[in-house]
Structure formats: structure tokens, C-alpha cells
Amino acid sequence: MSRCAQAAAVAATVPAAGVGNVGLRPPMVPRQASFFPPPVPNPFVQQTQIGSARRVQIFLLGIILLPIRVLLVALILLLAWPFAAISTVCCPEKLTHPVTGWRRKITQTALKFLGRTMFFSMGFIVSVKGRIASPLEAPVFVAAPHSTFFDGIACVVAGLPSMVSRNENAQVPLIGRMLRAVQPILVSRVDPDSRKNTINEIIKRTTSGGEWPQILVFPEGTCTNRSCLITFKPGAFIPGVPVQPVLLRYPNKLVSILCMLTFCQLFTKVEVEFMPVQVPNDEEKNDPVLFANKVRNVMAEALGIPVTDHTYEDCRLMISAGQLTLPMEAGLVEFTKISRKLKLDWDGVRKQLDEYASIASSSKGGRIGIDEFAKYLKLPVSDVLRQLFALFDRNHDGSIDFREYVIGLAVLCNPANTEEIIQVAFKLFDVDEDGYITEEEFSTILQASLGVPDLDVSGLFKEIAQGDSISYEEFKSFALRHPEYAKIFTTYLDLQTCHVFSLPKEVQTTPSIASNKVSPEKHEESASDKKDD
């Protein structure tokens, strides 16, 4: 087999490699439907617009209502503290047995009354729909959408069920004591077995036959803008017991997570609806994700809003994007769905976000255009570069967002960045086959690959080379750190492939075609392969 044919064989293993429409090319990677942008707006961004008249109204009401409500809330919290103390005295922080008897009965009654009084003093008018299930009927409440601190109203209305909370919250003065009074399941961030212990505790309590209080869970795991229901975490559904969905609605046009803005309104309406209990079938008992999706669909249909594959991890990415001075929406990639298909982990995506930020830093909109892309690659804008950019630009809007960047690296670049392809590309650049790539050799091949005869690659060459030439280890290290170059480095292979495929069949197999050796495997050289001495 000739070296051109060997180049064709190797290049055929490179997904979507190639330029132009010359000859035959390996097939393009399909644009899977699941990789298209989410069909719903960003669920983690709340855009509150307040008119001038409303601002004046809030200001005037705030002068009167704000100090009165703050004083009332403080007074009610002080009144509630003794009852919480009675309930938790002589009890460990992490309970091994439920609080029972008179202590539970007195504290539950008092704290429910004070809780309702506190929310009323804050201006909340609460209406309740449906019937609250007993602990035997539904050991778990799942409440959604979770959009504000005030969603704690659902806990008061439901009769102060237990909640899953961080261990640090139980240490907060005054508030921590009242949290402990509802017998929470505490989660520790420093304990590596915390997730397993939390699940075991949920299973123990929900299968206790009503001995423990019911558990209230916000399965979304983070706050949204109530425009949709994001992916439910499976924790509440792992025990495989019946759950009662709880819907939260805020009919007011203006509901803010900020206490001050809410306190300055005359009143805030809240609707808490207890839906029929959802009982899992045998398949759903064995598959908590399936059960969670079923309950989410039922709740979304009742609310009249869509569902989306966004998750809590997307919210973390959004916050990380903000810390990198990117628009916070740039981090949203539907992390769980994308990572499942592309086999990515959180650390890998977070690292790619840093890389994306370094490229997009010069772009005011936080998106990568063709100019930023070329500047990052230290290459001129050419037809080949435009085609590579188009592979990333999945919606063809002329820019790359973080979602498109992650998919492009994983689907288009990383498969072409294997050890074998890196070896082939290195041998391709190493024209004189001395084990090193000079700047002249590097420039010659890239000029041919990109179709730019006067290409200046000195900047890119210096970034790869530690001296006057590039060794294989330097080339490999750079290629692995920057998979975007994989397709550029292998474009010349595809040019040879197209050339070989366009020749007559008998010429393709002729071993006398002169070409640079590109196969990574050692083989005998024919007379035409040997360099002139």
C-alpha cells in the first residue's frame, strides 16, 4: 500500500475531517437532536421590571410597612425559640430516634401557629387547595417550583414536616434551633459518605410506618424563575414510597427573593396546592429517575409550564461563568443530558469553561466569533478555519456559545485527537523524518492545509516548541491540551485522501507514489521512500 493510501486509511478514521468538496470524505458527525439548544428560556435568570409609579408606591409603603414587619418577624422568632428549645433539649444534632410524646405535640402546635402568624405579618395571604395526605399515605412531600426563600410557607402549611438541610444551618443562632425542632435530615459537606448516609436516612424514615414525621423535599435542588420545571433530583424517589406533589403559585406580578422588596408590598398572594398522591409501580420503584420524571410531568401539566433538562449543575456553571466575567447564561449547557451523552464530568466541564472564557474575553457579548477563534488559534481566517468554526457553530448564528464549544470539543475534536492520529500528524509535519519539526516544515504543511501561501506561523510554533524545533512529546502535549487543532493538523491527511480517492483504482495501489511517510507503524521503505543522501 502506498503512503497516500495509508494516509487515506488513517484519515478515514478521523470523524468529520476534511475541507471543501473535493473527492470523497469521511461522513460528518450527525447533529443529534438532543444537542440542540434548550427549548425553554434560561430558568435561572429573573428579570424584574418595575415601572416608575410602582417604584413610588413601593417606596411609600416601605416607609410604613418595612419597619413594622421587621419588628413583628423578630418578635415572633423570639416567641418561637422557647418552644423549639423544649423540643430539642437533650437531643443530639443528628437524631437517631424521633421526638415523640408531649414535646412533639406542644411544639408542633405552637410552631405551626407562630409560623402562619409570621407569614401573615410579612404580608402573605395563603390559600390552600387539596387534601394533605397522612404519613402512612405519603411519607414524602415534593414541592415545586422552588423559586424563593418564601417557599418555606409550604412547610408550615404541611404541618412542619422534616426537611433536608445543610449541617451548617443547624449551627445558626436562633434559626438553627427552630430548624432542629422539625427533626431535619442534616447533610455534611465535609463528610465523603454524606450522600450515602442521607439516602439511607431518607429510606429509614420513609419506611418507618409513620413513626418519623413526613419529609418535605424541593426536588429541583435550586431556585428557578418558575417558567419551567428543571430536572428533579432522585433522592426523594429512591425509597420507592408514595409521594404527594405540592404546587406553589405566586399570582402577584411582582414576587422577589429579596425580603425587603416583598416586605414593601401591601400583600403577596400564595397558593399551595396538595395534589393526589403518586404511587410508584414496580418499574418506578426500581428506577427513581423514571419515578421522578413521572411526578415532574404530572406537576408541570397541572402548572401549565414546560419541563427542561436543566439541572442544579447548570446553575453552578452559570455562577462560575459570572465569576469569569462572562454573561451568566453562557454556562448553561443542560449539563446532565450533555454529560451523559458525551461522558463528561463536572471538573472537565468547569476546566473547559475556563478555556472558553480565555477565548471569549475579548468579545463583549461573551460569545466566540470567527475573529476570536482565529486569534486564539494564532491562525488567519481562511476557508478551512471557517469550516472548522462552522462545525462548532451548531445553530449557524456566526458565534459559538459555551454549549456549542463543549459539544464541539467532545464530538468533533476529541475523537480526532487519539494517540494514533497525533503520531500520524507529527510524521506528516516531520518532512525530513529526523524526529523533529522545524519552523519551515511546520509552515509548509500548514500553508498547504489552510491554502494560505504566505502564512506566518511563528507565534503558534513558539507556543509549541521549547527550542528551535518541536519534538514528538512537545507536539503530543500541545495537541492533547488543545484538541481544537486536531482537525487543522489532520486536514492535510484528508487532502491526500481526497487526492487518492480521485485517482484511478490501479494508481491508488501503486507503491511508487512519492509522499511523506505518515503511517505511525514501522514498515520497510521502498527505493522511492528513501531520502537522497
Side-chain angles (χ1 to χ4, degrees):
M1 180 184 292
S2 72
R3 285 182 297 278
C4 279
Q6 291 169 346
V10 175
T13 67
V14 183
V19 295
N21 296 316
V22 182
L24 300 175
R25 294 189 300 161
M28 297 289 289
V29 176
R31 292 175 180 264
Q32 299 184 41
S34 62
F35 289 156
F36 280 109
V40 299
N42 187 341
F44 304 116
V45 174
Q46 179 70 49
Q47 296 179 344
T48 303
Q49 296 181 350
I50 307 175
S52 300
R54 193 62 182 273
R55 289 175 185 271
V56 173
Q57 180 186 11
I58 291 173
F59 175 76
L60 294 176
L61 288 174
I63 294 176
I64 302 171
L65 295 177
L66 183 59
I68 295 175
R69 286 175 171 171
V70 170
L71 287 174
L72 287 175
V73 169
L75 178 61
I76 294 171
L77 289 176
L78 289 174
L79 290 175
W81 187 87
F83 294 99
I86 292 172
S87 176
T88 57
V89 67
C90 299
C91 292
E93 213 170 71
K94 289 190 176 182
L95 296 173
T96 55
H97 296 87
V99 177
T100 57
W102 65 270
R103 288 200 303 175
R104 179 175 177 178
K105 187 175 182 179
I106 290 177
T107 55
Q108 288 280 307
T109 303
L111 292 178
K112 280 191 291 184
F113 172 77
L114 290 172
R116 286 176 176 270
T117 304
M118 182 178 69
F119 281 113
F120 179 77
S121 68
M122 294 162 64
F124 286 93
I125 299 177
V126 184
S127 61
V128 180
K129 298 180 180 180
R131 184 183 68 86
I132 303 176
S134 68
L136 292 177
E137 291 176 301
V140 180
F141 297 114
V142 287
H146 185 26
S147 61
T148 171
F149 163 80
F150 301 118
D151 291 341
I153 292 174
C155 182
V156 175
V157 173
L160 296 183
S162 300
M163 300 181 70
V164 179
S165 179
R166 293 182 303 168
N167 191 54
E168 294 83 357
N169 293 338
Q171 311 296 328
V172 178
L174 190 63
I175 301 296
R177 179 66 68 171
M178 282 181 282
L179 174 64
R180 290 175 55 192
V182 300
Q183 306 178 60
I185 298 174
L186 297 178
V187 180
S188 173
R189 286 182 171 182
V190 297
D191 182 6
D193 297 323
S194 178
R195 176 179 170 80
K196 181 181 69 176
N197 295 337
T198 300
I199 292 174
N200 290 337
E201 185 67 16
I202 291 175
I203 294 174
K204 182 183 79 172
R205 294 194 183 192
T206 55
T207 56
S208 66
E211 183 180 355
W212 284 90
Q214 290 163 288
I215 299 174
L216 180 101
V217 178
F218 293 97
E220 292 174 293
T222 187
C223 289
T224 69
N225 57 17
R226 297 191 296 275
S227 64
C228 60
L229 291 184
I230 65 172
T231 302
F232 280 8
K233 289 183 172 294
F237 306 92
I238 288 177
V241 297
V243 303
Q244 183 171 34
V246 181
L247 305 181
L248 297 167
R249 298 185 180 93
Y250 293 86
N252 286 49
K253 290 184 179 180
L254 179 62
V255 178
S256 174
I257 62 173
L258 300 176
C259 292
M260 185 172 295
L261 185 58
T262 304
F263 281 10
C264 293
Q265 295 188 95
L266 191 61
F267 62 87
T268 302
K269 291 182 179 180
V270 184
E271 294 179 2
V272 182
E273 180 180 352
F274 291 86
M275 296 184 65
V277 174
Q278 298 295 310
V279 181
N281 56 34
D282 292 338
E283 185 180 6
E284 290 164 349
K285 288 179 181 179
N286 297 322
D287 189 348
V289 174
L290 181 65
F291 188 25
N293 288 336
K294 170 194 167 184
V295 174
R296 182 178 65 152
N297 291 336
V298 169
M299 297 176 73
E301 184 178 356
L303 289 165
I305 58 177
V307 298
T308 174
D309 288 319
H310 287 99
T311 63
Y312 168 68
E313 285 74 18
D314 293 316
C315 188
R316 291 176 64 192
L317 276 175
M318 186 183 74
I319 295 172
S320 298
Q323 294 170 345
L324 294 170
T325 68
L326 288 170
M328 298 183 77
E329 307 89 69
L332 293 175
V333 295
E334 289 181 293
F335 177 84
T336 300
K337 181 171 70 173
I338 297 293
S339 60
R340 189 186 303 122
K341 289 185 174 294
L342 302 183
K343 296 180 174 60
L344 303 174
D345 57 20
W346 165 257
D347 292 333
V349 172
R350 182 61 177 80
K351 183 179 179 181
Q352 288 174 351
L353 181 62
D354 291 339
E355 190 69 27
Y356 175 85
S358 68
I359 307 172
S361 59
S362 59
S363 174
K364 293 181 179 179
R367 299 171 68 92
I368 300 173
I370 185 68
D371 293 330
E372 288 85 12
F373 194 62
K375 182 178 179 182
Y376 166 70
L377 296 178
K378 293 183 173 60
L379 293 171
V381 176
S382 62
D383 289 340
V384 172
L385 197 66
R386 287 191 183 94
Q387 291 174 31
L388 175 60
F389 184 83
L391 294 178
F392 281 86
D393 182 13
R394 304 185 68 81
N395 62 354
H396 306 295
D397 66 350
S399 64
I400 302 171
D401 62 16
F402 179 60
R403 173 192 176 85
E404 293 171 319
Y405 181 73
V406 171
I407 295 172
L409 285 181
V411 177
L412 303 171
C413 294
N414 287 328
N417 218 34
T418 63
E419 177 83 21
E420 180 183 22
I421 296 302
I422 292 173
Q423 285 182 346
V424 171
F426 179 81
K427 288 183 176 292
L428 178 66
F429 281 98
D430 184 16
V431 177
D432 60 4
E433 303 180 19
D434 64 350
Y436 291 91
I437 303 172
T438 64
E439 185 171 347
E440 182 180 358
E441 292 172 329
F442 191 69
S443 177
T444 300
I445 298 299
L446 280 185
Q447 284 175 1
S449 299
L450 299 176
V452 181
D454 54 349
L455 177 66
D456 181 9
V457 298
S458 57
L460 178 58
F461 182 84
K462 290 176 182 177
E463 187 171 334
I464 304 175
Q466 296 181 1
D468 296 333
S469 60
I470 302 173
S471 67
Y472 174 69
E473 290 301 323
E474 291 170 346
F475 186 82
K476 176 184 174 183
S477 176
F478 181 84
L480 292 176
R481 290 198 316 270
H482 301 280
E484 301 96 336
Y485 285 94
K487 292 206 167 294
I488 296 175
F489 288 162
T490 54
T491 295
Y492 194 70
L493 286 175
D494 193 51
L495 289 173
Q496 292 193 60
T497 303
C498 297
H499 174 67
V500 172
F501 286 163
S502 64
L503 294 176
K505 187 171 183 180
E506 62 273 9
V507 179
Q508 291 183 25
T509 57
T510 302
S512 60
I513 298 177
S515 175
N516 182 39
K517 182 174 67 176
V518 296
S519 175
E521 290 84 9
K522 294 182 179 180
H523 62 279
E524 293 184 5
E525 298 179 346
S526 63
S528 62
D529 295 335
K530 295 181 180 179
K531 296 184 293 183
D532 295 331
D533 294 330

